[in-house]
Each structure stands twice: as structure tokens, then as C-alpha cells.
Amino acid sequence: QVQVVESGGGSAQTGGSLRLSCVASTSTASSFCMGWFRQAPGKERDGVAAILSNGSNIYADSVKGRFTIAQDNAKNTLYLHLDSLKPEDTAMYYCAADFWCMDLDPSEYHYWGQGTQVTVSS
């Protein structure tokens, strides 16, 4: 069982920045992948960004150019830098992991954290 724990988040004003962090309890498999997802009230959970099993980064169109995903050398810590924040970025942000993933489909990720809230005010 893989444990995933997020931290960071909080409140920011429009145009501001935040950073999210996520630690997974294991990352020894070369195909291990991690990603960020978000869910606003009354909406479905959507993919935000991920580092896929082939090592490539993928972003949702809505965050391209504003959010940056990064991973440390040990591959068990994932970051999401949120810049140029907009009120529509307000959501619960979840980190997820799996041993094989090739896109931002939440169904491909089986290990999830509890989520961290991001609130952007205008």
C-alpha cells in the first residue's frame, strides 16, 4: 500500500502564488508516477498536472504556462508551483500516485492523498 500525503495550499489573491508538496511512501519502481488533481464543489475531479511513467510532464490546458510540476531526485516528493492564480483555480487539490500512468485520467491513479485546499480570492 502506498501512502500519499499532501501539504501546502492555503489562500491567495488573484495573480498570487502557492506551492503544494506531496510525499509518497515508495517510489522504487522506475515507472512510478505521480500527479495533481483538483475538485471544486459540485464538479468532477480533474487532472491538473502529472509526471508520467515515461518521465514526461503533462498539464491540463487550463493551467499551462501558470502551474509547474516538479519532482525531487528521489522521485518520492512531488511539487506543484501555482503562479498567476485565478479564482477559478479554487478547489481541493489532491496528489495521487501509481506504478503506471500515461495521462491525466484520475481512474489511472490508485493511491490518493486526503487533499489540500486552495482558495483564490478576487
Side-chain angles (χ1 to χ4, degrees):
Q1 186 74 10
V2 178
Q3 305 295 323
V4 178
V5 180
E6 306 100 336
S7 61
S11 298
Q13 292 187 330
T14 297
S17 299
L18 290 170
R19 189 182 80 162
L20 308 182
S21 301
C22 172
V23 178
S25 59
T26 183
S27 62
T28 55
S30 60
S31 62
F32 193 74
C33 48
M34 298 175 72
W36 290 98
F37 301 80
R38 66 186 181 186
Q39 188 168 17
K43 295 188 176 181
E44 294 185 351
R45 189 172 298 186
D46 293 324
V48 175
I51 299 179
L52 304 178
S53 294
N54 63 3
S56 62
N57 296 354
I58 186 171
Y59 294 92
D61 289 343
S62 59
V63 306
K64 282 181 181 177
R66 301 189 299 119
F67 292 7
T68 303
I69 194 169
Q71 192 173 42
D72 74 358
N73 292 334
K75 286 190 65 176
N76 70 332
T77 303
L78 189 72
Y79 303 97
L80 186 68
H81 299 270
L82 298 75
D83 297 313
S84 302
L85 282 163
K86 303 175 181 180
E88 50 264 44
D89 294 319
T90 295
M92 185 70 78
Y93 283 70
Y94 297 90
C95 179
D98 213 301
F99 291 96
W100 181 259
C101 42
M102 290 302 293
D103 59 35
L104 277 174
D105 183 352
S107 68
E108 290 199 11
Y109 298 76
H110 292 91
Y111 305 102
W112 291 82
Q114 294 300 307
T116 185
Q117 180 69 36
V118 170
T119 302
V120 184
S121 57
S122 58

